[in-house]
Amino acid sequence: MKLFNLNNLLLFSIFFISTIFYTSAQNKDTSSCDTRFSTENQVYIKSLKPQIKKFEKQFSSLSSTFSKSSNKTLKNSIPIKAHIIRSSNGKGGLSTSDLNLIIDNLNATFSDAYFEFYLSDGINYIDNDAFCHFNRKNEDSLTETNNVSGLINIYFTDFLENASKSSICGYTNTIGRSDVILMKNDCAKNGSSLAHEIGHLFSLMHTHGADGDELTTELVDGSNCDTDGDGICDTPADPKINSNSVDNFCSFTEIILDANGDRFQPDAQNIMSYSKKACRSHFSQQQLARMFAFYKSAKNYYSSPSFNADFDVDVNQTCENTLTVHFNGNCENITKWEWDVDGDGNIDYTTKTPTHTFNTGIYNVSLTVSNKTQSISRTYYNYIKVGVLKSTPFIENFEDFTIASDKGWTANDVSENGYNWLINSGDTSTEGTGPTFDNSIETTSGTYIYAEASGAQIGDIAEFISPCIEINQSNTLLEFAYHMFGENMGELHVDIQTDSGFKNDIIQPLTGQAQNYQDDDYLIQTIDLSNYKDQTIKIRFRAIRGASWDSDIAIDDISIKGQTDTEPNYSKALIVKVYPNPVSGEILYIQSTNPEETLNYSISNLVGQNFMQGIVYNNNINLSKLNKGTYLLKLQCDNSTVIKKVIK
């Protein structure tokens, strides 16, 4: 008979006690934050993850290279519209001095994220007794007539409650471009609650995660820190602390164990926790990076109507080797203009309407403007594109892209509702739509471009435009792989731009669901471009969002190939099938659309270590030298390369 181990008994006792403490903590919760991340909102944030990761790396580079004051163009100036609710006779409400102190505190708290907040167009006073004791369910009646689009709307009121009539400090509406924060006046002045809500606006979850009703699944050892809890690894796992579980020295006092039996040691001073308000004093470094990246990815449309660093240009792209651009600042009453038009960190011009001639390249443009009291800045990334010229044969599989607007490509959210082309690997962020892998290597590590439908509206348009491509071959074909799976699938249009402008729909639009299952192969679309010989063109993929969220459209492996004038025969773009896969014996068979061409092959593992290489004979490769496992097979024919995942 096996005796019960004393250590197991002790562990069970501590876990039982920790469960009682956790349950008690829930009953005593006085968090007073009513922000909720809906499933659709979480899906949207997840869809931006590749872009966010790219800008997080940029943040790390900035933090290690510059001091916070060394370069004005590093700042992101974010406008706030303050709505102060008072009684119907105009009395009460948050004072102007308190509002100024609040904004000063925000700027001190967020300076390490390269954020600075400023008041846009003064204060909007709402004199209405009905809103002084405000219930969240009445938000629409308040915001419909008062919201200002394109900036952060913060409403300050004497008393705030949620739909269940429980008193709360504040909440953030995280849906789409709502950009609404409601704050109770006393909480707005406590030094941490408003910063907490702005953290939510820039995608930060509570340190205990999105679900506060259950003990977090994030483990103390950090092994699942990037997927569970708040999805950020330098914030310790948090069992949902509250003011009752934190002492006057801002230390967490309870004994609560995770699923491995490890004791939680949360940061009781993190602003995104439910700790005592006076204890919350800082964001972690990765939280700062996440907010910076989310601003760059999703919130960089913020602009004040009367004081902004926006500008217009007559042209910002050309296929020629030089481009002269005329800039015109949009804002009046500016006392100082500072332009960095080539992204080198130096001020190039100090007038409202400078003119600059660019040579071949891709340039960021930053503008800093000042009035009598303050300065604000804004940077437009990859804004000027000059002479980014490709020639045929042209192949793009997106494997080395970091964002969709990379390598001379341009992604445009035409409708400005958040519908745009994104870079991705593996599943799209929404279940029931999109592919599960890329077309190039048919693995979850491969990269493709897709239009994310979550958070957008029916009929929204997203454009994905190629660099300039010189058609210098005869009998040229455009070929691309596409994946359109989802019950409410929209449309994919293909347009051509020449010197005469855009010609829309060079083929019939691809509409409706094209795949029967999410993991079905991509389909291949081929388009004759023979009429564009000796012209320079751009290809525009124009996605139109379907009736609901389940309408993600993906494209991959775009190629433009033809026959040169010295070639006797036209060779189609290489398409290869490999079978059986998984390999049932030792022989892998290769079926190619170009059987007369010599195929070179190499076989490597998923991290690039090479095992075999040679020439394909008799349409097969003998894999007897390989151990069982998953490999990448690269096949090359002239200028064509195909990569397939092979399982033995």
Side-chain angles (χ1 to χ4, degrees), residues 15 139 226 257 279 283 331 401 436 518 524:
F15 186 81
E139 179 184 319
D226 59 340
L257 307 182
C279 288
F283 294 106
C331 196
F401 273 45
T436 58
Q518 192 167 8
I524 305 299

Side-chain angles (χ1 to χ4, degrees), residues 474-526:
S474 303
N475 302 323
T476 305
L477 289 180
L478 163 65
E479 182 179 280
F480 64 92
Y482 68 96
H483 198 287
M484 298 172 66
F485 173 75
E487 290 187 4
N488 291 283
M489 182 53 61
E491 305 174 9
L492 179 61
H493 299 248
V494 183
D495 311 322
I496 295 286
Q497 183 186 28
T498 65
D499 291 340
S500 301
F502 275 105
K503 179 181 178 181
N504 289 346
D505 295 323
I506 59 173
I507 58 168
Q508 283 291 109
L510 304 173
T511 62
Q513 183 167 282
Q515 277 78 8
N516 294 319
Y517 300 97
Q518 192 167 8
D519 58 357
D520 281 352
D521 288 341
Y522 286 67
L523 298 178
I524 305 299
Q525 179 68 52
T526 303

Side-chain angles (χ1 to χ4, degrees), residues 17-86:
I17 293 171
S18 72
T19 303
I20 294 176
F21 269 119
Y22 179 74
T23 304
S24 174
Q26 304 314 295
N27 294 332
K28 296 177 181 178
D29 186 5
T30 57
S31 64
S32 297
C33 172
D34 200 48
T35 297
R36 307 157 191 168
F37 281 88
S38 67
T39 300
E40 183 174 357
N41 189 256
Q42 293 180 57
V43 166
Y44 173 66
I45 293 173
K46 182 181 176 183
S47 73
L48 295 173
K49 188 174 182 179
Q51 282 69 233
I52 287 174
K53 292 297 183 185
K54 186 261 186 184
F55 285 119
E56 285 179 337
K57 291 180 180 179
Q58 183 187 76
F59 175 87
S60 298
S61 176
L62 292 176
S63 297
S64 62
T65 305
F66 299 101
S67 68
K68 301 301 177 290
S69 59
S70 64
N71 191 330
K72 291 182 179 180
T73 62
L74 297 179
K75 296 185 298 183
N76 298 298
S77 301
I78 300 172
I80 289 174
K81 185 61 182 179
H83 306 271
I84 294 180
I85 298 172
R86 305 184 298 190

Side-chain angles (χ1 to χ4, degrees), residues 90-222:
K91 295 183 178 180
L94 190 73
S95 70
T96 303
S97 59
D98 283 337
L99 177 61
N100 291 332
L101 287 173
I102 288 168
I103 294 177
D104 288 344
N105 180 67
L106 289 178
N107 286 333
T109 302
F110 286 89
S111 64
D112 287 348
Y114 299 102
F115 289 175
E116 64 171 4
F117 300 93
Y118 67 98
L119 198 60
S120 173
D121 296 331
I123 300 169
N124 176 36
Y125 289 102
I126 304 172
D127 297 338
N128 191 331
D129 289 339
F131 293 141
C132 290
H133 189 113
F134 190 79
N135 187 291
R136 178 171 184 167
K137 66 182 180 181
N138 298 320
E139 179 184 319
D140 288 347
S141 63
L142 175 65
T143 60
E144 282 178 357
T145 57
N146 290 288
N147 250 31
V148 179
S149 62
L151 42 67
I152 302 176
N153 292 269
I154 305 180
Y155 293 83
F156 300 93
T157 186
D158 284 333
F159 185 82
L160 187 61
E161 62 185 14
N162 59 22
S164 302
K165 295 188 176 181
S166 297
S167 176
I168 57 176
C169 253
Y171 72 88
T172 302
N173 187 332
T174 58
I175 299 174
R177 292 192 175 188
S178 299
D179 299 319
V180 169
I181 296 175
L182 266 292
M183 290 299 304
K184 183 180 178 182
N185 290 335
D186 288 346
C187 294
K189 296 185 289 185
N190 68 23
S192 66
S193 288
L194 182 53
H196 178 104
E197 298 304 334
I198 289 179
H200 285 317
L201 188 66
F202 289 101
S203 84
L204 295 187
M205 295 186 182
H206 295 123
T207 48
H208 56 261
D211 185 1
D213 296 328
E214 302 291 337
L215 181 65
T216 181
T217 56
E218 183 180 359
L219 299 173
V220 171
D221 64 14

Side-chain angles (χ1 to χ4, degrees), residues 568-585:
N569 297 310
Y570 170 65
S571 179
K572 287 185 177 180
L574 179 64
I575 301 175
V576 172
K577 297 291 185 183
V578 298
Y579 62 93
N581 192 14
V583 181
S584 55

Side-chain angles (χ1 to χ4, degrees), residues 12 15 371 393 433:
F12 173 79
F15 186 81
N371 59 19
T433 186

